[in-house]
Amino acid sequence: MDVEGDLIDDVVSGDADNSELLEEVPNSEGMEDTVQIQVSTPGQDTDVVPMDAQDECSGTYTWKVPRLSKSMGVEKLYSDKFEIGTYFWRLLLPPTPPLSMSPKANFTLKMINKLDPARSMSKDSNHTFTSNEADWGFNTFAQLDEVLQRGSGFLEDDVLELRVDITIQKDDRYAYDSRKETGFVGIKNQGATCYLNSLLQYLYNLPYFRKAVFHMPTPESEDPSKSLPLALQSVFYKLQYSKTSVSTKDLTKSFGWGTYDAFQQHDVQELNRVLCEKLEEKMKGTCVENTVNQLFEGHTFNYLSCINVACESTRKESYLDLQLDVKGCRNIHDSFDRYCEVEVMDGANQYNTDTFGLQDAKKGVKFESFPSVLQLQLKRFEYDFQRDTMVKINDRYEFFDELDLDREEFRYLSDTASRTGLNKYRLHSVLVHSGGVHGGHYYAYVRPDGKQWLKFEDDRVTKEEPHRAMEEQFGGEDDSHGMTNSHNTFHAHNPPPKLTKHSNAYMLVYVRGSDWDRIMCPVAKEDVTEHLREQLEHEQREKEERQKNKAEAHLYCTLKVVTDADMVAQVGKSRFFDLADHDKVAPAQGHFRMRKQVKFSDFKNEVAARYGVPVEQQRFWSWQKRANSTERPMRPLTAEEEDSPLMDLREHREAAISSNKHALMDLKLYLETPVEGETTLLKLGKDDIMVFIKHYDPVTETLRLVGHLILPRTAKVGACTACPPPPTLPGPALAQHPRRTHPALCGLASVRGGCLSGQRGDTLTVTSGGAVGTRVQEMLPLAAHRAGLDEHTQLDVYEEVKSEPTVYITLLDQRKTLHFLEMENGDILVLQPRLGEAEAASLRHPTVLQYLTYVCALRKVTWKRREEPKAEGIVLEMSKDMSYDQVTEALAAALSLDDPAKLRLTQHNNYGGQPQRTPLRFRGLATLEQMLTHSHHTLDTVYYEVLDIPLAELETLKTLKVTFHGDKSEHLGDFSVRLPKNGCVSNVLTALQQQLQGPLLPYATRPLRLLETLGGKIYKVLTEDEAVDNVNDNYWTLRIEPIPEDQLELAPTSRVINVQHVHPPPADVKEESQPRLGAQLAPTCFGHPFLLTIAEADTLEAVKAKVQAKLEIAPEEFSKWQAVFVSTRQATEQLTDDSLVVAELFVRAHNGTQGFHDMYLGFVHEDRHPKRSNNSNNRHPYETPIKIYS
């Protein structure tokens, strides 16, 4: 046969008990006789370091491949599993080659020649084995005909011997050590907490601040997650002494934040202010009081001085940080120049003095003092009034390594400021924002020693060159467009495009040079209070121990043992179904951490030492999770298994362990010991099974474990079936009883029990008279005796089958045999007294089925006030099957409310960690289980509100949120108005009139009207007969105002026009960039618009006078207002001719279809009420205000 060109393809691959990782692939053309050898391993869990990152691990394994010639191209052949380093490995001979291979453990494959070892063939390679690249090897290894040739020496009795040497190299992903490389460690990102991490790293690297935090007094027993000072102390301590990155979960919990908050992006500048304010509050009355002010507080001198008369107004203000303009400024000096720029108030902008009237004046700001640590917040985010949105300023903005604020003869200082020349600063930190207005990432460059720059980016810290921290963070345009290929050259007249840098400095921190040594003081362990240091050192030791255990996890397995005593302690208390939860057994008692290579017999010695049970009195049963989700003992370990290493028991390991943690082993075992008073284990035949007995008392509603019985599943039928039953003997005499020793001789089956109550060594001998197996009724006397019941008690026997998704418990026919009932090891029988109909009717749960169904339905529910979602709330235990009415009744009773109907419930939002937006309607969900379900997740929190009327009645009403405005269009209050859904607008107005009290009472007798407004514009005046159900207060801002007398009965020669306040266009914004209505510019409105009555002949001058009188604006202020006419049919028209007839503008623009908002008289002026507070000038549009609740 011509086999030229046929190859043996050797591929190293690995397996982790997951055969699906080695999928069969289609046969490739021309490769029908190809053989491969693969060793594969799935990708590892990135949370578990598989081995010491600095070490390598080697090993060798030899595989003798049987039936090579017969198996070629037919089936996959696997070697036994073997362990080298972190991984389990095995060799594989697949019938076809893989379709593709990708190149890092070093390995050598060798094909052994038995006749001449020197002719052995070997090849080596390396590969990084991941879940996506599990196979690697050689397409060409050897000629198949040469291997199969008789006398070649490769085959002996058709057996091919292959050897693989594997060297596992260190994983570069775990090789980098921030502490080792830089002396500092990073902070873990909880989701979107990079802004917090950057700020903490900067504050930590101010040792004076860090020492002050350590000196804040904290109680010894306080929980860090509930104490801001303690949580911050813990973070700083770990940053100083931990070897790995630090978690901030306790700190954010101390803020009162939940998981939802950890995924909310916030502004680092705002967080800095809020955190410093909170710390300043916590430091009051302590030895570190005023630390925040001592470090960060400076003072400005605000002045307003008249030019021609002796009149001056001054004010001194403090600051913790300065906000500097970026837009229009080349560098930090330009920003300070603008900050201290003098504004001349003249002409229409004169200053109105109390004594001299209107005067020309100079207005400005100087600095009275600068702080030791100067925090400069760069205004990278600004509000664009034309676009009505936030925009990021990515302009180039230079800052300096050294900053001299005494420059140019102290130009920034006030006349009273000290001029000692101490305002020279060194750059300490640069906090960077990378991204845009809709999202981004923060990281920090810090220079703790004043020399070496370090980059702190979440959990990674690296050394950086100075230009990385400075020049590259100036912003502007990026010249490194990356087009260096010869095909991408540009001509001189066509330069390459420049891309905007979206990573730039956002916050700068300078430290005064003369204070550098004081601020950068050494901080030692002695600066931490003793109790705090001991607590944190203990936590650190525990963490290091956990990390060590995790790194060595591949070498160990955990054996979790439960005993009869553990089952008794749990059944009926913490566990009602099944027998025991291994994880609830105290680890010091029932958990054993042993090396995988240790023999099981050595483990038994450990058990003997811990439990005091001799090795010969121990019988271990493997624990199995069945298909119906129950967990029961499966079978006793064999003698062969007990004589093998622990790693060979992998088939018994906990099934919940996922495949990517294949090197870890958790074994769950049940330890059976002799019954009380006995020294030997009960004999266990091959046809015997072990069942467990529980007892349920329906009167007291208690469930307990009685013990276990070992019963024969079948019994042989013999000639002695008619002989009388033998006497019941005590335990010590049983061994001599012939029927105990030789049950087969007389056709009898012994029922043996291991009990936790009752007489020791009790045995029930049952005659098997022709039927196959032990009948349930035949073992009842012993079971009843175990339960401590009277022998005449009539019992019902149930089998506990499963609890999920529904409780399934069956009442057994006591005439049936265990064999007929298909019972097996670990099954559970539940005994309960048989009840009469009358007695059963008087009990809540007369059967164990009803009781366990009730227990299974119990849920611990946390109820919180909807207005206080961060509060702890109250916890009630309720059945998930409770109806809506039962739930509200139980909650009302707990809250001491008289009427449950006044409760309104709201479900929990699983993703936001907050109440859902829409409360539940009355009886909107049928059961508590439905209330606790959101997006297929089962929750434990529900919110409630206490209403003033029953919810059912409230739902027949419509509630409108309205604002009330006065005669000057000023806002006077917010109200909620309730009325029937079939009502009309007149009912809304009447309902509001009834709520007006105090200063608003005079409006209660005046005619009112309802308007729909939005964005500073009036869109509609609602008629009184309009249906309330058509009014949408979720979109519109509903405004109620008194109707002016001149609009109650409009004169034929008068009209009502819409008047609105308009933002002036920014001087530095080009017209092309402003939003438009069609082809016309669209002015941006603000404030409270109003309706004004004008006569047909009124000039602009007359209309201005009416507007000024209505709004009561001072003449000098109103003179600055510019009138414009806005219409969707024409461009915005500036009105400068006071003799212009205003009504004609509206007549000319009217086409019969416009509404109030389509044409209006506008007045352009500055908004004296800023839309955003100073604390949120830089807040991104997707952010909510930062709050620290601690």
Side-chain angles (χ1 to χ4, degrees):
M1 174 180 180
D2 184 4
V3 291
E4 185 177 354
D6 291 341
L7 307 173
I8 293 181
D9 297 345
D10 292 357
V11 180
V12 175
S13 89
D15 177 46
D17 300 340
N18 281 12
S19 59
E20 62 271 15
L21 291 174
L22 304 172
E23 296 179 356
E24 187 170 330
V25 294
N27 201 357
S28 299
E29 184 178 354
M31 302 290 286
E32 290 82 356
D33 296 328
T34 297
V35 176
Q36 304 157 11
I37 305 169
Q38 298 185 353
V39 180
S40 66
T41 179
Q44 63 192 8
D45 183 359
T46 57
D47 292 332
V48 180
V49 181
M51 56 183 292
D52 191 327
Q54 304 301 323
D55 297 339
E56 293 187 353
C57 187
S58 302
T60 299
Y61 174 77
T62 300
W63 177 30
K64 294 184 178 181
V65 185
R67 301 178 291 106
L68 178 67
S69 59
K70 297 180 180 179
S71 303
M72 278 292 298
V74 177
E75 60 179 334
K76 295 181 180 180
L77 298 179
Y78 295 92
S79 73
D80 292 334
K81 295 173 187 175
F82 57 97
E83 183 178 16
I84 296 178
T86 305
Y87 310 95
F88 291 124
W89 304 80
R90 64 175 173 175
L91 294 171
L92 163 65
L93 275 171
T96 58
L99 293 178
S100 62
M101 291 181 248
S102 302
K104 167 177 175 194
N106 287 346
F107 61 89
T108 301
L109 278 170
K110 181 179 257 187
M111 185 183 299
I112 306 300
N113 190 300
K114 302 293 185 62
L115 297 180
D116 185 0
R119 293 183 57 204
S120 298
M121 299 181 184
S122 67
K123 286 192 177 184
D124 58 69
S125 184
N126 64 77
H127 179 63
T128 299
F129 292 95
T130 67
S131 57
N132 294 326
E133 298 177 345
D135 305 328
W136 184 250
F138 311 99
N139 281 326
T140 303
F141 190 83
Q143 296 295 332
L144 182 60
D145 58 348
E146 183 180 345
V147 174
L148 297 177
Q149 184 178 359
R150 181 172 300 179
S152 66
F154 290 105
L155 292 181
E156 183 177 341
D157 298 330
D158 204 19
V159 173
L160 176 69
E161 184 173 331
L162 298 171
R163 178 178 299 163
V164 59
D165 298 330
I166 300 175
T167 299
I168 304 170
Q169 297 176 318
K170 65 182 180 182
D171 194 327
D172 293 338
R173 292 175 298 172
Y174 303 101
Y176 186 80
D177 187 334
S178 293
R179 176 71 75 186
K180 181 179 179 181
E181 298 295 331
T182 66
F184 294 83
V185 295
I187 302 176
K188 298 175 183 177
N189 193 325
Q190 295 187 45
T193 55
C194 53
Y195 65 97
L196 172 63
N197 297 349
S198 302
L199 180 64
L200 290 175
Q201 291 286 16
Y202 142 59
L203 293 174
Y204 166 80
N205 283 292
L206 291 177
Y208 188 93
F209 180 84
R210 189 196 325 163
K211 182 180 289 190
V213 170
F214 283 148
H215 288 174
M216 294 177 69
T218 53
E220 294 188 22
S221 58
E222 199 162 14
D223 182 359
S225 64
K226 298 181 180 179
S227 168
L228 171 57
L230 185 57
L232 189 57
Q233 289 171 345
S234 176
V235 170
F236 280 2
Y237 184 89
K238 292 172 182 176
L239 284 174
Q240 187 162 348
Y241 296 107
S242 175
K243 296 179 181 178
T244 58
S245 55
V246 177
S247 170
T248 56
K249 286 186 177 180
D250 280 343
L251 181 62
T252 53
K253 285 181 181 177
S254 74
F255 290 172
W257 296 0
T259 304
Y260 176 75
D261 300 283
F263 285 88
Q264 279 277 67
Q265 298 191 39
H266 288 292
D267 179 59
V268 70
Q269 299 177 4
E270 185 179 7
L271 175 64
N272 186 32
R273 295 190 194 98
V274 174
L275 181 60
C276 286
E277 288 173 4
K278 186 62 67 172
L279 287 174
E280 186 179 11
E281 174 188 324
K282 298 289 184 181
M283 289 178 175
K284 286 183 180 179
T286 70
C287 60
V288 290
E289 186 175 1
N290 293 325
T291 296
V292 172
N293 293 338
Q294 291 170 11
L295 283 176
F296 308 116
E297 186 179 42
H299 294 87
T300 57
F301 182 83
N302 299 269
Y303 65 91
L304 196 156
S305 176
C306 293
I307 297 175
N308 301 316
V309 296
C311 180
E312 185 176 29
S313 173
T314 62
R315 183 176 72 255
K316 182 179 178 180
E317 293 183 345
S318 66
Y319 63 87
L320 296 179
D321 56 60
L322 294 174
Q323 290 197 4
L324 300 183
D325 287 338
V326 171
K327 193 169 186 178
C329 298
R330 296 172 303 164
N331 54 45
I332 199 169
H333 286 158
D334 286 358
S335 295
F336 272 97
D337 290 345
R338 180 177 292 186
Y339 200 95
C340 298
E341 194 173 49
V342 177
E343 177 187 355
V344 177
M345 304 177 67
D346 57 6
N349 194 32
Q350 282 185 315
Y351 173 58
N352 188 14
T353 66
D354 294 335
T355 305
F356 302 101
L358 295 174
Q359 292 289 330
D360 293 343
K362 294 186 298 183
K363 178 183 177 182
V365 178
K366 293 285 188 178
F367 288 94
E368 186 71 16
S369 65
F370 290 105
S372 297
V373 180
L374 180 62
Q375 301 182 120
L376 303 178
Q377 317 283 8
L378 306 185
K379 295 170 70 174
R380 288 284 184 187
F381 292 93
E382 289 187 351
Y383 185 76
D384 188 327
F385 288 98
Q386 296 300 319
R387 297 180 178 88
D388 192 27
T389 186
M390 295 290 289
V391 294
K392 185 178 181 183
I393 310 300
N394 289 303
D395 299 352
R396 181 178 176 84
Y397 181 87
E398 299 179 3
F399 50 91
F400 314 116
D401 185 50
E402 294 185 353
L403 178 64
D404 183 5
L405 294 179
D406 290 331
R407 61 189 289 262
E408 299 182 11
E409 299 181 354
F410 311 101
R411 63 177 299 173
Y412 303 132
L413 298 183
S414 68
D415 295 337
T416 57
S418 172
R419 283 168 164 73
T420 56
L422 296 179
N423 296 318
K424 294 180 174 58
Y425 287 84
R426 298 168 62 184
L427 184 60
H428 175 269
S429 300
V430 179
L431 275 65
V432 178
H433 179 267
S434 175
V437 70
H438 297 295
H441 176 59
Y442 286 99
Y443 50 91
Y445 290 94
V446 184
R447 187 166 51 173
D449 60 356
K451 300 176 182 178
Q452 176 63 57
W453 282 102
L454 301 175
K455 181 181 179 181
F456 294 87
E457 187 168 13
D458 292 333
D459 57 358
R460 189 176 179 90
V461 186
T462 55
K463 293 182 179 180
E464 300 292 345
E465 295 298 323
H467 72 276
R468 295 273 188 187
M470 297 186 62
E471 286 83 355
E472 291 191 8
Q473 308 311 324
F474 287 169
E477 294 178 334
D478 190 356
D479 294 328
S480 58
H481 44 75
M483 296 185 180
T484 58
N485 190 293
S486 60
H487 298 288
N488 292 321
T489 57
F490 291 87
H491 298 290
H493 64 276
N494 186 24
K498 293 184 178 181
L499 304 177
T500 301
K501 288 183 179 179
H502 293 279
S503 293
N504 35 54
Y506 188 49
M507 176 176 170
L508 305 175
V509 181
Y510 284 87
V511 176
R512 181 184 279 125
S514 59
D515 291 333
W516 184 277
D517 292 337
R518 179 176 67 89
I519 302 299
M520 301 300 164
C521 59
V523 181
K525 284 190 176 182
E526 291 69 26
D527 292 307
V528 185
T529 56
E530 183 177 357
H531 77 86
L532 176 61
R533 185 170 66 249
E534 291 177 353
Q535 177 183 341
L536 295 177
E537 286 177 348
H538 176 70
E539 291 179 3
Q540 184 64 23
R541 286 193 297 269
E542 287 185 337
K543 179 181 178 181
E544 291 176 355
E545 183 65 24
R546 288 194 302 270
Q547 291 174 339
K548 178 183 176 183
N549 292 341
K550 184 181 289 187
E552 296 178 349
H554 62 286
L555 302 175
Y556 290 85
C557 67
T558 301
L559 298 97
K560 301 177 181 180
V561 178
V562 294
T563 63
D564 292 322
D566 297 322
M567 296 179 183
V568 169
Q570 292 188 28
V571 172
K573 303 173 182 66
S574 62
R575 194 159 184 92
F576 293 86
F577 293 92
D578 291 335
L579 298 168
D581 184 347
H582 286 73
D583 293 325
K584 290 184 179 179
V585 178
Q589 180 67 15
H591 294 186
F592 297 80
R593 189 168 183 264
M594 311 282 292
R595 282 186 170 269
K596 294 177 183 176
Q597 290 79 7
V598 170
K599 285 195 171 185
F600 194 86
S601 56
D602 296 328
F603 162 67
K604 295 180 72 173
N605 291 330
E606 287 286 333
V607 173
R610 187 177 296 187
Y611 285 98
V613 179
V615 171
E616 62 274 10
Q617 296 181 16
Q618 301 174 20
R619 179 156 58 208
F620 284 93
W621 294 67
S622 63
W623 201 271
Q624 180 189 41
K625 185 169 185 178
R626 298 179 175 180
N628 61 7
S629 299
T630 60
E631 296 187 15
R632 310 285 175 82
M634 179 177 65
R635 64 170 178 82
L637 299 184
T638 64
E640 181 181 357
E641 288 174 326
E642 293 194 355
D643 193 44
S644 61
L646 296 178
M647 65 176 294
D648 290 346
L649 302 177
R650 289 192 299 273
E651 65 176 280
H652 299 298
R653 72 182 180 188
E654 188 175 349
I657 297 297
S658 59
S659 61
N660 60 358
K661 294 185 178 178
H662 55 277
L664 309 179
M665 287 178 58
D666 274 3
L667 300 178
K668 290 184 176 181
L669 301 171
Y670 162 58
L671 172 59
E672 180 192 0
T673 57
V675 296
E676 185 180 355
E678 292 290 331
T679 58
T680 59
L681 292 164
L682 295 173
K683 184 179 179 182
L684 183 66
K686 65 177 182 179
D687 292 327
D688 291 347
I689 63 171
M690 178 171 63
V691 296
F692 290 83
I693 308 298
K694 294 181 181 179
H695 172 251
Y696 171 62
D697 186 339
V699 177
T700 60
E701 293 185 0
T702 55
L703 183 70
R704 60 191 176 95
L705 180 69
V706 172
H708 66 267
L709 300 175
I710 295 178
L711 307 170
R713 190 196 307 271
T714 62
K716 295 182 179 179
V717 179
C720 298
T721 54
C723 66
T728 299
L729 303 177
L734 283 176
Q736 289 83 35
H737 197 282
R739 292 177 179 166
R740 170 73 183 256
T741 307
H742 305 288
L745 295 179
C746 57
L748 299 178
S750 298
V751 182
R752 301 172 293 280
C755 65
L756 302 170
S757 61
Q759 300 297 319
R760 59 188 179 92
D762 287 336
T763 300
L764 175 67
T765 305
V766 180
T767 300
S768 183
V772 180
T774 304
R775 292 182 175 84
V776 174
Q777 62 187 5
E778 294 169 340
M779 62 88 179
L780 277 184
L782 178 59
H785 183 65
R786 293 284 185 262
L789 302 175
D790 185 88
E791 61 181 3
H792 301 296
T793 303
Q794 295 294 313
L795 297 174
D796 285 332
V797 183
Y798 293 82
E799 181 186 2
E800 181 184 309
V801 181
K802 65 174 184 176
S803 61
E804 295 179 357
T806 57
V807 177
Y808 186 54
I809 295 177
T810 60
L811 177 64
L812 299 182
D813 185 344
Q814 299 182 18
R815 297 168 298 176
K816 303 297 183 182
T817 65
L818 302 183
H819 174 77
F820 180 85
L821 296 171
E822 299 181 347
M823 298 199 67
E824 57 185 10
N825 282 325
D827 282 347
I828 301 173
L829 301 179
V830 184
L831 312 180
Q832 77 159 76
R834 185 172 298 163
L835 304 175
E837 291 185 8
E839 188 178 7
S842 65
L843 300 174
R844 286 203 315 166
H845 308 297
T847 69
V848 67
L849 173 60
Q850 293 171 310
Y851 174 70
L852 290 180
T853 301
Y854 162 76
V855 169
C856 184
L858 286 179
R859 298 287 186 272
K860 287 188 176 180
V861 185
T862 301
W863 297 90
K864 298 182 178 182
R865 294 184 63 88
R866 196 172 193 270
E867 305 84 359
E868 302 173 356
K870 297 290 185 180
E872 293 185 0
I874 61 173
V875 179
L876 301 177
E877 192 172 58
M878 297 178 168
S879 171
K880 66 181 179 65
D881 298 323
M882 291 175 68
S883 66
Y884 179 94
D885 291 341
Q886 291 173 326
V887 169
T888 53
E889 288 171 5
L891 179 58
L895 298 174
S896 300
L897 297 179
D898 296 332
D899 190 358
K902 293 183 179 180
L903 287 171
R904 180 164 64 179
L905 309 180
T906 304
Q907 287 181 280
H908 183 69
N909 186 320
N910 183 54
Y911 303 109
Q914 298 285 333
Q916 293 192 29
R917 292 180 179 271
T918 306
L920 294 178
R921 296 181 61 82
F922 179 68
R923 296 176 181 168
L925 293 177
T927 64
L928 176 63
E929 182 177 23
Q930 295 174 347
M931 299 178 195
L932 296 175
T933 304
H934 176 236
S935 298
H936 305 291
H937 292 275
T938 301
L939 311 175
D940 61 357
T941 302
V942 183
Y943 303 89
Y944 68 90
E945 301 168 83
V946 180
L947 307 174
D948 55 346
I949 61 174
L951 177 58
E953 179 182 345
L954 178 65
E955 291 180 349
T956 64
L957 306 176
K958 185 177 180 71
T959 301
L960 294 178
K961 299 183 290 293
V962 299
T963 63
F964 185 72
H965 291 247
D967 289 318
K968 297 183 294 183
S969 83
E970 75 277 21
H971 176 255
L972 298 178
D974 297 322
F975 295 87
S976 290
V977 180
R978 278 191 202 139
L979 64 162
K981 293 182 178 179
N982 58 0
C984 55
V985 169
S986 61
N987 302 130
V988 178
L989 302 177
T990 302
L992 180 70
Q993 287 175 323
Q994 295 172 355
Q995 296 187 43
L996 298 178
Q997 298 177 356
L1000 304 181
L1001 188 59
Y1003 291 104
T1005 57
R1006 294 180 55 181
L1008 304 177
R1009 63 186 171 197
L1010 178 64
L1011 294 78
E1012 289 180 344
T1013 68
L1014 184 67
K1017 297 180 181 180
I1018 297 175
Y1019 282 81
K1020 185 179 181 181
V1021 179
L1022 300 175
T1023 61
E1024 291 192 356
D1025 60 351
E1026 186 150 358
V1028 168
D1029 207 33
N1030 297 331
V1031 179
N1032 184 1
D1033 62 340
N1034 290 322
Y1035 181 77
W1036 302 108
T1037 299
L1038 299 181
R1039 169 172 149 186
I1040 295 180
E1041 63 181 17
I1043 304 176
E1045 291 185 5
D1046 58 5
Q1047 295 179 21
L1048 289 174
E1049 294 184 8
L1050 198 64
T1053 58
S1054 298
R1055 70 165 55 230
V1056 176
I1057 66 171
N1058 188 1
V1059 182
Q1060 299 180 6
H1061 304 273
V1062 179
H1063 278 298
D1068 54 353
V1069 176
K1070 296 181 180 179
E1071 183 177 289
E1072 290 79 4
S1073 67
Q1074 300 183 40
R1076 295 172 175 264
L1077 281 177
Q1080 297 85 35
L1081 291 174
T1084 304
C1085 299
F1086 68 93
H1088 307 303
F1090 56 92
L1091 302 178
L1092 183 70
T1093 305
I1094 63 171
E1096 296 291 347
D1098 277 350
T1099 62
L1100 179 60
E1101 182 179 15
V1103 172
K1104 283 183 177 180
K1106 290 183 178 182
V1107 171
Q1108 180 184 346
K1110 178 178 180 65
L1111 302 181
E1112 296 182 357
I1113 305 297
E1116 62 273 14
E1117 174 67 21
F1118 191 74
S1119 65
K1120 304 173 188 176
W1121 290 26
Q1122 172 65 50
V1124 295
F1125 178 72
V1126 181
S1127 171
T1128 56
R1129 298 187 62 196
Q1130 62 188 48
T1132 300
E1133 181 180 354
Q1134 292 191 4
L1135 307 180
T1136 56
D1137 183 2
D1138 284 347
S1139 62
L1140 177 72
V1141 177
V1142 174
E1144 293 180 358
L1145 296 172
F1146 288 86
V1147 172
R1148 185 168 62 245
H1150 184 64
N1151 65 358
T1153 60
Q1154 292 104 322
F1156 279 109
H1157 65 288
D1158 292 322
M1159 53 181 180
Y1160 58 86
L1161 180 66
F1163 284 89
V1164 180
H1165 64 91
E1166 293 290 340
D1167 183 4
R1168 298 300 183 185
H1169 300 87
K1171 185 173 181 178
R1172 295 170 183 264
S1173 67
N1174 291 334
N1175 283 346
S1176 60
N1177 280 341
N1178 268 348
R1179 185 180 302 140
H1180 310 301
Y1182 50 80
E1183 293 174 1
T1184 56
I1186 297 178
K1187 294 183 180 180
I1188 295 179
Y1189 301 91
S1190 175

